[in-house]
C-alpha cells in the first residue's frame, strides 16, 4: 500500500483536530469507516441529531455505537438503544456487553429486565414510550437515544410508538435515527429537524459489497444486465430478452454470455452443463416451455460456483418447510464431518433447557439432522429458540442454505453470499401481488457479507411469463417511501391530557409525521404558535401591575381605541348609530379611568408591553385559525377520541373546555394495545371478576389474538366451560356497545374479540402437555408462543391496574402461561 500524500496527511490531521472523538473511535474499529459513517459521527460530535439512511449491511449502526461511545466519555451520561423487536434487542445487548462489560449494559424488553439502571440500556421502542409517559427516573442523565430500524414507524400496528417517542423525548436528548434506504429520507429528516431541532440527514445509496444480478434459466446463471468493459449499464441482457421472446436458438452460441461465463473467477457463477447429470444448455425452438430445475440442483449449482451460503426467499411458511424436506429427500449434505460435530454441540447447548417430551412434539431430532446437513427454514411459525439457533449457525457459516419468508429481510443480522428469489409475487392475504421495488431491494440487500465477500449475488429464477425488463426495473429503482401510520389511541389521549392538558396535546399531535405528510406547513405553523405562546407569556409578565389586572385594563383601552377609530372612519353613518357608538365610548372611557391600573405611574410602560401582547396574540389567533382550516386530520381524530372518553367518563370537561382525567382515566394510562378501551371498560364494569387463572388467560388471549381470514371459531362446544363463557359473552356485548359508540363519533371501530385460540390457551394455563395444546391450537409452535407472549403482556397490565383479587388472578395466570417453550424463548 502506498503511503498517503501530503494533502491526505493534512486532511487527516485537520479532521482529527476538529473531531478528535471521531478519530479515536475510528481507530478502534476493525475496518476503515466509510464517508457516510464519518459524516454521521461528525454531526453527533458537533452536537446535532442525525438521520442515517443506508442499505442493509452498510454499517449504519456504527453511527449509533459512536453515540454510545460519546455518552460513555462523560461520567453520569446515559445512552438508550431501541430496536423494534426483542430478538434484535437481545443481539445488540450481547454485542455491547462485549465492548463495555456486563456492568455497563442493561436490557429491557417488557418480559426481560437486566441491569435496568446501567448507563447503556438496550430496549424495545414500546418500553421507552412507556418510560416517557411515566416520567421515569431512568430518563435522568439521558444524552443519546439510538432508534434502530426507525422505518418501522410505517408499521400499521406499532408505528405510532416511534413517533410518540420522537415527539416526547426531552429537547436535550440527541436522536440517532437509523433507517433502511427510503426514497423520502429528506422529507422525514425535515420533520425530525422541525420537531427535534438541528438534525443532519445523511443518505447513502452505496452498498459496501457490490451486488451482481442474475437470472437462473434452467442450469445457467445469466447476468440480468449487459456488462461491457467492466462498466455496468442499465441495458437488460439481450440474451434474456430473446429467451423471453421465444427466440433462443442462438443461446448456446451467444458470445457475450460465453465470455461472461468463462471470465468469471472461481467464486463466480459458471456454465451449469459442467455438472454431472445436469441439464443441457437451453435450446429453444419456436419458444418451447422453459422448465425450472429442482431445488437440490439449484443448491448444487450454487455450491459448485462458490455462491453459498444462500438465503432462498419463499413467500410462505409451508413452502419453506417443504423446501427443506425436498433437500432432505435428495440427501443433500453441505457440511463436513467436523462442521456436523460443531453444529450438534451448538444446538444441544442452546436447547438444553427444553424438555424431552417437548422436543419430540417439536420434531427436534429431524430438525437437528437437517441443521447438520447445513439446511434450515426460518419463518414466524418456527419456535423462537429454534430461530435463534438457525441465526447463530448461519452467522458462523455452518448452515449453508436457509429457506425464509420475507420477515428475515427486516432486522436480524444474517447476511449471505447469495439471495435467491424463486418468484416475484406473493400472497398479501387477499390476492397474489407483485413485490415492490422496495421489497426487492430489502430482500436482495441480504446478499454480500462485508469483509468476507468481494461481491454479493441476487438470483431470480426464470419462470413462464417472467419479463426481464420488469426484473431490471425492480433492481434499478429505489422507491421505498416511508409513510406514517400514526393515529391517536385512547391510551395516548389520556397520557397526553394528563401530562400536557388537552390544548397542548392537540398541538403535539399537529407535530406528528402523519400530519407533516398530510400538510407539511401545519407543523411549521404549530411551531410558530408554540414559540409565540412563550413570547406571550413573557409579555404578560412584563406588563404585570401591582395595582390590578393590567391585561383587563389593556383590553378596555384596546376596545376604546378600536371604537374611536371606527367612529372617526365611519363619519357618514346614520346619526342614531353614531350616538350609540358615542355612548359606548363614554362608558368605556369611564371604566378605564376607574380601573386601579389607570393611576399607576408605570402605566404607559406597561401599556407598551400590552400593545405587543395584543398584536402578537392577534397574529397567533390567526395562525391557529389557519391550522384549524388546514387538514388537521390527526387533531380531529384526537377530538373524537376525547369525546368518546368524555361520554364514558374517562375524562371530565368543564364549562371552559378544560379536560382532566377521572379515576378511570388514570387507570387507562397503563393499558396499552389495540383494545385499550375494551380492556379498561371491562375492568371498570367487573366483567372478569369471577374468573380463575386459566379462564382469565383464555379471555386475555381472545383480546390479543387475530385469526386468519379463513379461520372458523371453535364454536360453543370447544370453549372452556364455567364462568369463562359468561365473561366472554359480556365482553363481546360490551365490545358491540363500544363499537357502536365509536362509529357514532366517526371513528373506525375495531374487530370483535376472537375466541379461536381460547381453548388452547386455557389448556396451556391449566398445565396440559404441549402436544395436546398444539393440537387444540392447530398452529405451529412459534405462532402459539407469539400469541402466548402477547397474552402475557396483557395479563401483566391487568395485574398492575386491576383491583387486588383480579390482579392476583392475573399474576397467577401470567405465571401459568409463562412455562415450557414460552418461558424458554426470548423473542
Amino acid at each position: 500500500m502506498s503511503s498517503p500524500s501530503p494533502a491526505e496527511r493534512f486532511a487527516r490531521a485537520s479532521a482529527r483536530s476538529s473531531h478528535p472523538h471521531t478519530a479515536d473511535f475510528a481507530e478502534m474499529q476493525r475496518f476503515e469507516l466509510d464517508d457516510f459513517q464519518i459524516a454521521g459521527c461528525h454531526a453527533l460530535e458537533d452536537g446535532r441529531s442525525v438521520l442515517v439512511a443506508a442499505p442493509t449491511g452498510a454499517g449504519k449502526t456504527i453511527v449509533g455505537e459512536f453515540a454510545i461511545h460519546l455518552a460513555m466519555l462523560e461520567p453520569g451520561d446515559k445512552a438508550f438503544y431501541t430496536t423494534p423487536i426483542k430478538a434484535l434487542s437481545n443481539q445488540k445487548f450481547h454485542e455491547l456487553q462485549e465492548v463495555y462489560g456486563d456492568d455497563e449494559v442493561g436490557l429491557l424488553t417488557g418480559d426481560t429486565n437486566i441491569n435496568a439502571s446501567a448507563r447503556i440500556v438496550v430496549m424495545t421502542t414500546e418500553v421507552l414510550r412507556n418510560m416517557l409517559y411515566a416520567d421515569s427516573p431512568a430518563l435522568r442523565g439521558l444524552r443519546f437515544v439510538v432508534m434502530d430500524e426507525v422505518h418501522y414507524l410505517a408499521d400499521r400496528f406499532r408505528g405510532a410508538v416511534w413517533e410518540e417517542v420522537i415527539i416526547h423525548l426531552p429537547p436535550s436528548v440527541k436522536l440517532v435515527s437509523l433507517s433502511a434506504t427510503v426514497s423520502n429520507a429528506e422529507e422525514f429528516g425535515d420533520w425530525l429537524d422541525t420537531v427535534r431541532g438541528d438534525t443532519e440527514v445523511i443518505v447513502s445509496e452505496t452498498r459496501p459489497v457490490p451486488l451482481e444480478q442474475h437470472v437462473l434459466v434452467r442450469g445457467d446463471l445469466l447476468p440480468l444486465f449487459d456488462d461491457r468493459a467492466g462498466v455496468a449499464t442499465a441495458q437488460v441482457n439481450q440474451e434474456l430478452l430473446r429467451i423471453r421472446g421465444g427466440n433462443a436458438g442462438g443461446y448456446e452460441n451467444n458470445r457475450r454470455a460465453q465470455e461472461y461465463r468463462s471470465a468469471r473467477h472461481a467464486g463466480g457463477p459458471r456454465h451449469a452443463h459442467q455438472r454431472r447429470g445436469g441439464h443441457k444448455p437451453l435450446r429453444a425452438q419456436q419458444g418451447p416451455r422453459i422448465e425450472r430445475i429442482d431445488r437440490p440442483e439449484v443448491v448444487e449449482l450454487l455450491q459448485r460456483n462458490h455462491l453459498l451460503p444462500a438465503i432462498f426467499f419463499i413467500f410462505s411458511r409451508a413452502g419453506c418447510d417443504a423446501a427443506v424436506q425436498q433437500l432432505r429427500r435428495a440427501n443433500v449434505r453441505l457440511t463436513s464431518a467436523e462442521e456436523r460435530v460443531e453444529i450438534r454441540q451448538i444446538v444441544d447447548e442452546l436447547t438444553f433447557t427444553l424438555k424431552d417430551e417437548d422436543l419430540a412434539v417439536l420434531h427436534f431430532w429431524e430438525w437437528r439432522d437437517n441443521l447438520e446437513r447445513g439446511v434450515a427454514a426460518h419463518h414466524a411459525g418456527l419456535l423462537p429458540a429454534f430461530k435463534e439457533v438457525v441465526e447463530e449457525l448461519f452467522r458462523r457459516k455452518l448452515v449453508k442454505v436457509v429457506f425464509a419468508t420475507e420477515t428475515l429481510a427486516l432486522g436480524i443480522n444474517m447476511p449471505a453470499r447469495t439471495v435467491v428469489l424463486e418468484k416475484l409475487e406473493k400472497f398479501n392475504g387477499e390476492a397474489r401481488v407483485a413485490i415492490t421495488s422496495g421489497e426487492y431491494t430489502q430482500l436482495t440487500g441480504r446478499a454480500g457479507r462485508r469483509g468476507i465477500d468481494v461481491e454479493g449475488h441476487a438470483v431470480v429464477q426464470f419462470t413462464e411469463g417472467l419479463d426481464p425488463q420488469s426484473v431490471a426495473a425492480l433492481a434499478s429503482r429505489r422507491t421505498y417511501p416511508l409513510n406514517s401510520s400514526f393515529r391517536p389511541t385512547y391510551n395516548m389521549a389520556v397520557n397526553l391530557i394528563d401530562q400536557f392538558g388537552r390544548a397542548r396535546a392537540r398541538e403535539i399531535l399537529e407535530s406528528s409525521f402523519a400530519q407533516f405528510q398530510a400538510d407539511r406547513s401545519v407543523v411549521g405553523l404549530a411551531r410558530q404558535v408554540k414559540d409565540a405562546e412563550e413570547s406571550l407569556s413573557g409579555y404578560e409578565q412584563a406588563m404585570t401591575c401591582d395595582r390590578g389586572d393590567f391585561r383587563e385594563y389593556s383590553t378596555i383601552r384596546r376596545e376604546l381605541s378600536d371604537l374611536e377609530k371606527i367612529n372617526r372612519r365611519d363619519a357618514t353613518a346614520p346619526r342614531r348609530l353614531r350616538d350609540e357608538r358615542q355612548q359606548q365610548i363614554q362608558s368605556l372611557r369611564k371604566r378605564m379611568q376607574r380601573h386601579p391600573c389607570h393611576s399607576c405611574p408605570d402605566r404607559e410602560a406597561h401599556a407598551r408591553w400590552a400593545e405587543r401582547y395584543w398584536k402578537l396574540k392577534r397574529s397567533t389567533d390567526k395562525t391557529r385559525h389557519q391550522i384549524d382550516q388546514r387538514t388537521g386530520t390527526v387533531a380531529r381524530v384526537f377530538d373524537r377520541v376525547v369525546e368518546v372518553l368524555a361520554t364514558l367518563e374517562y375524562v371530565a370537561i368543564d364549562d371552559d373546555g378544560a379536560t382532566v382525567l377521572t379515576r378511570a382515566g388514570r387507570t387507562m394510562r397503563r393499558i396499552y394495545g389495540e383494545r385499550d378501551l375494551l380492556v379498561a371498560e371491562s375492568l371498570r364494569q367487573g366483567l372478569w371478576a369471577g374468573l380463575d387463572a386459566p379462564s382469565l388467560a383464555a379471555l386475555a388471549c381472545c383480546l390479543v389474538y387475530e385469526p386468519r381470514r379463513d379461520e372458523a371459531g371453535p364454536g360453543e362446544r370447544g370453549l372452556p366451560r364455567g364462568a369463562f363463557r359468561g365473561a366472554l359473552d359480556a365482553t363481546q356485548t360490551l365490545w358491540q356497545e363500544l363499537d357502536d359508540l365509536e362509529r357514532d363519533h366517526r371513528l373506525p371501530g375495531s374487530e370483535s374479540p376472537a375466541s379461536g385460540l381460547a381453548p388452547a390457551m386455557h389448556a396451556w394455563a391449566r398445565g396440559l402437555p404441549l402436544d395436546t395444546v398444539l393440537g387444540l391450537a392447530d398452529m405451529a409452535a412459534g405462532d402459539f408462543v407469539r400469541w402466548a407472549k402477547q397474552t402475557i403482556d396483557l395479563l401483566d397490565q391487568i395485574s398492575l391496574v386491576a383491583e387486588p383479587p383480579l390482579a392476583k388472578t392475573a399474576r397467577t395466570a401470567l405465571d401459568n402461561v409463562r412455562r415450557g417453550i414460552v418461558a424458554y424463548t426470548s423473542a
Side-chain angles (χ1 to χ4, degrees), residues 490 639-653 677 681 684 737-738 741-742 744-745:
Y490 297 105
D639 288 339
R640 294 168 192 165
V641 166
V642 174
E643 288 169 8
V644 170
L645 291 171
T647 301
L648 296 171
E649 298 181 348
Y650 284 88
V651 300
I653 305 174
L677 182 62
E681 194 65 6
R684 186 164 69 161
E737 294 170 355
L738 294 177
L741 179 63
E742 288 178 308
D744 288 344
H745 286 83

Short mmCIF file of all heavy atoms in Angstrom, two decimals, residues 490 639-653 677 681 684 737-738 741-742 744-745:
data_model
loop_
_atom_site.label_atom_id
_atom_site.label_comp_id
_atom_site.label_asym_id
_atom_site.label_seq_id
_atom_site.Cartn_x
_atom_site.Cartn_y
_atom_site.Cartn_z
N TYR A 490 -56.79 5.70 22.60
CA TYR A 490 -57.35 6.13 23.89
C TYR A 490 -56.25 6.26 24.93
O TYR A 490 -56.22 7.22 25.70
CB TYR A 490 -58.43 5.14 24.34
CG TYR A 490 -59.60 5.09 23.39
CD1 TYR A 490 -59.76 4.02 22.51
CD2 TYR A 490 -60.52 6.14 23.33
CE1 TYR A 490 -60.82 3.99 21.62
CE2 TYR A 490 -61.58 6.11 22.45
CZ TYR A 490 -61.72 5.04 21.59
OH TYR A 490 -62.77 5.01 20.69
N ASP A 639 -59.84 14.72 18.82
CA ASP A 639 -61.05 15.31 19.42
C ASP A 639 -62.16 14.27 19.53
O ASP A 639 -62.89 14.22 20.53
CB ASP A 639 -61.52 16.50 18.59
CG ASP A 639 -60.61 17.70 18.73
OD1 ASP A 639 -59.87 17.78 19.74
OD2 ASP A 639 -60.63 18.58 17.84
N ARG A 640 -62.31 13.44 18.50
CA ARG A 640 -63.35 12.40 18.54
C ARG A 640 -63.04 11.36 19.61
O ARG A 640 -63.94 10.88 20.30
CB ARG A 640 -63.46 11.73 17.16
CG ARG A 640 -63.97 12.67 16.08
CD ARG A 640 -63.78 12.07 14.70
NE ARG A 640 -64.01 13.08 13.66
CZ ARG A 640 -63.63 12.95 12.40
NH1 ARG A 640 -63.00 11.84 12.01
NH2 ARG A 640 -63.88 13.91 11.53
N VAL A 641 -61.75 11.01 19.74
CA VAL A 641 -61.34 10.07 20.80
C VAL A 641 -61.68 10.65 22.16
O VAL A 641 -62.20 9.95 23.04
CB VAL A 641 -59.83 9.76 20.67
CG1 VAL A 641 -59.31 9.08 21.93
CG2 VAL A 641 -59.56 8.90 19.45
N VAL A 642 -61.39 11.94 22.36
CA VAL A 642 -61.68 12.59 23.64
C VAL A 642 -63.19 12.62 23.89
O VAL A 642 -63.65 12.45 25.03
CB VAL A 642 -61.09 14.01 23.68
CG1 VAL A 642 -61.52 14.74 24.95
CG2 VAL A 642 -59.57 13.96 23.61
N GLU A 643 -63.97 12.81 22.85
CA GLU A 643 -65.43 12.82 23.02
C GLU A 643 -65.93 11.46 23.51
O GLU A 643 -66.80 11.38 24.38
CB GLU A 643 -66.10 13.17 21.68
CG GLU A 643 -65.95 14.63 21.29
CD GLU A 643 -66.38 14.88 19.84
OE1 GLU A 643 -66.94 13.94 19.22
OE2 GLU A 643 -66.17 16.00 19.34
N VAL A 644 -65.37 10.38 22.96
CA VAL A 644 -65.74 9.04 23.43
C VAL A 644 -65.32 8.87 24.89
O VAL A 644 -66.10 8.36 25.71
CB VAL A 644 -65.09 7.96 22.55
CG1 VAL A 644 -65.27 6.57 23.17
CG2 VAL A 644 -65.67 7.99 21.14
N LEU A 645 -64.12 9.31 25.22
CA LEU A 645 -63.65 9.20 26.60
C LEU A 645 -64.52 10.01 27.55
O LEU A 645 -64.79 9.59 28.69
CB LEU A 645 -62.20 9.67 26.69
CG LEU A 645 -61.14 8.78 26.02
CD1 LEU A 645 -59.79 9.48 25.99
CD2 LEU A 645 -61.03 7.44 26.75
N ALA A 646 -64.99 11.16 27.10
CA ALA A 646 -65.86 12.00 27.93
C ALA A 646 -67.21 11.33 28.13
O ALA A 646 -67.78 11.34 29.24
CB ALA A 646 -66.02 13.38 27.30
N THR A 647 -67.74 10.72 27.06
CA THR A 647 -69.03 10.04 27.16
C THR A 647 -68.98 8.92 28.19
O THR A 647 -69.93 8.70 28.94
CB THR A 647 -69.43 9.47 25.78
OG1 THR A 647 -69.51 10.54 24.83
CG2 THR A 647 -70.77 8.75 25.84
N LEU A 648 -67.84 8.21 28.22
CA LEU A 648 -67.67 7.09 29.15
C LEU A 648 -67.07 7.52 30.49
O LEU A 648 -66.77 6.67 31.33
CB LEU A 648 -66.77 6.03 28.51
CG LEU A 648 -67.34 5.37 27.25
CD1 LEU A 648 -66.28 4.50 26.58
CD2 LEU A 648 -68.58 4.55 27.57
N GLU A 649 -66.84 8.82 30.66
CA GLU A 649 -66.36 9.42 31.92
C GLU A 649 -64.94 8.97 32.28
O GLU A 649 -64.62 8.76 33.44
CB GLU A 649 -67.33 9.13 33.06
CG GLU A 649 -68.72 9.74 32.83
CD GLU A 649 -69.67 9.48 33.98
OE1 GLU A 649 -69.35 8.64 34.86
OE2 GLU A 649 -70.74 10.11 34.01
N TYR A 650 -64.11 8.83 31.24
CA TYR A 650 -62.67 8.66 31.49
C TYR A 650 -61.98 10.01 31.60
O TYR A 650 -60.91 10.12 32.17
CB TYR A 650 -62.02 7.83 30.37
CG TYR A 650 -62.34 6.37 30.48
CD1 TYR A 650 -63.50 5.83 29.90
CD2 TYR A 650 -61.52 5.51 31.21
CE1 TYR A 650 -63.80 4.48 30.02
CE2 TYR A 650 -61.81 4.17 31.34
CZ TYR A 650 -62.96 3.66 30.75
OH TYR A 650 -63.27 2.31 30.88
N VAL A 651 -62.62 11.03 31.04
CA VAL A 651 -62.18 12.41 31.22
C VAL A 651 -63.40 13.25 31.58
O VAL A 651 -64.54 12.90 31.25
CB VAL A 651 -61.50 12.98 29.95
CG1 VAL A 651 -60.27 12.17 29.57
CG2 VAL A 651 -62.47 13.06 28.78
N ALA A 652 -63.14 14.35 32.26
CA ALA A 652 -64.20 15.30 32.60
C ALA A 652 -63.87 16.64 31.95
O ALA A 652 -62.73 17.09 32.01
CB ALA A 652 -64.30 15.46 34.12
N ILE A 653 -64.87 17.24 31.31
CA ILE A 653 -64.68 18.52 30.61
C ILE A 653 -65.56 19.56 31.27
O ILE A 653 -66.79 19.40 31.34
CB ILE A 653 -65.03 18.40 29.12
CG1 ILE A 653 -64.23 17.25 28.48
CG2 ILE A 653 -64.77 19.71 28.39
CD1 ILE A 653 -64.60 16.96 27.04
N LEU A 677 -59.44 0.48 25.20
CA LEU A 677 -60.73 0.92 25.75
C LEU A 677 -61.56 -0.26 26.22
O LEU A 677 -62.17 -0.21 27.30
CB LEU A 677 -61.50 1.71 24.68
CG LEU A 677 -62.85 2.28 25.13
CD1 LEU A 677 -62.67 3.27 26.29
CD2 LEU A 677 -63.57 2.96 23.97
N GLU A 681 -62.69 -0.71 30.10
CA GLU A 681 -64.12 -0.71 30.44
C GLU A 681 -64.54 -2.05 31.05
O GLU A 681 -65.37 -2.09 31.96
CB GLU A 681 -64.93 -0.40 29.19
CG GLU A 681 -66.38 -0.03 29.44
CD GLU A 681 -66.58 1.26 30.21
OE1 GLU A 681 -65.59 1.97 30.48
OE2 GLU A 681 -67.73 1.56 30.57
N ARG A 684 -63.46 -1.91 34.60
CA ARG A 684 -64.29 -0.99 35.40
C ARG A 684 -65.65 -1.60 35.71
O ARG A 684 -66.19 -1.42 36.81
CB ARG A 684 -64.47 0.33 34.66
CG ARG A 684 -65.18 1.38 35.50
CD ARG A 684 -65.03 2.78 34.97
NE ARG A 684 -65.75 2.99 33.73
CZ ARG A 684 -66.07 4.20 33.26
NH1 ARG A 684 -65.74 5.28 33.93
NH2 ARG A 684 -66.71 4.32 32.12
N GLU A 737 -71.26 -2.54 22.05
CA GLU A 737 -71.70 -1.21 22.50
C GLU A 737 -70.62 -0.16 22.23
O GLU A 737 -70.92 0.95 21.78
CB GLU A 737 -72.03 -1.26 24.01
CG GLU A 737 -73.23 -2.13 24.33
CD GLU A 737 -73.37 -2.37 25.84
OE1 GLU A 737 -72.47 -1.92 26.59
OE2 GLU A 737 -74.36 -3.01 26.25
N LEU A 738 -69.37 -0.50 22.52
CA LEU A 738 -68.27 0.44 22.28
C LEU A 738 -68.07 0.67 20.79
O LEU A 738 -67.77 1.80 20.36
CB LEU A 738 -66.97 -0.10 22.91
CG LEU A 738 -66.96 -0.20 24.44
CD1 LEU A 738 -65.63 -0.81 24.91
CD2 LEU A 738 -67.17 1.15 25.08
N LEU A 741 -70.62 3.09 19.70
CA LEU A 741 -70.28 4.43 20.19
C LEU A 741 -69.17 5.05 19.34
O LEU A 741 -69.23 6.24 18.98
CB LEU A 741 -69.84 4.33 21.65
CG LEU A 741 -69.41 5.65 22.33
CD1 LEU A 741 -70.57 6.63 22.38
CD2 LEU A 741 -68.88 5.37 23.75
N GLU A 742 -68.16 4.25 19.01
CA GLU A 742 -67.06 4.77 18.19
C GLU A 742 -67.56 5.20 16.82
O GLU A 742 -67.18 6.26 16.30
CB GLU A 742 -65.96 3.70 18.06
CG GLU A 742 -65.18 3.49 19.35
CD GLU A 742 -64.14 2.40 19.21
OE1 GLU A 742 -64.49 1.29 18.78
OE2 GLU A 742 -62.97 2.66 19.55
N ASP A 744 -70.53 6.11 16.03
CA ASP A 744 -71.33 7.34 16.20
C ASP A 744 -70.45 8.58 16.22
O ASP A 744 -70.89 9.67 15.84
CB ASP A 744 -72.15 7.26 17.49
CG ASP A 744 -73.29 6.26 17.41
OD1 ASP A 744 -73.64 5.86 16.27
OD2 ASP A 744 -73.84 5.87 18.46
N HIS A 745 -69.22 8.43 16.69
CA HIS A 745 -68.28 9.55 16.75
C HIS A 745 -67.32 9.54 15.57
O HIS A 745 -66.24 10.13 15.63
CB HIS A 745 -67.50 9.51 18.07
CG HIS A 745 -68.32 9.93 19.26
ND1 HIS A 745 -69.15 9.08 19.92
CD2 HIS A 745 -68.44 11.14 19.87
CE1 HIS A 745 -69.74 9.71 20.92
NE2 HIS A 745 -69.34 10.96 20.91
#
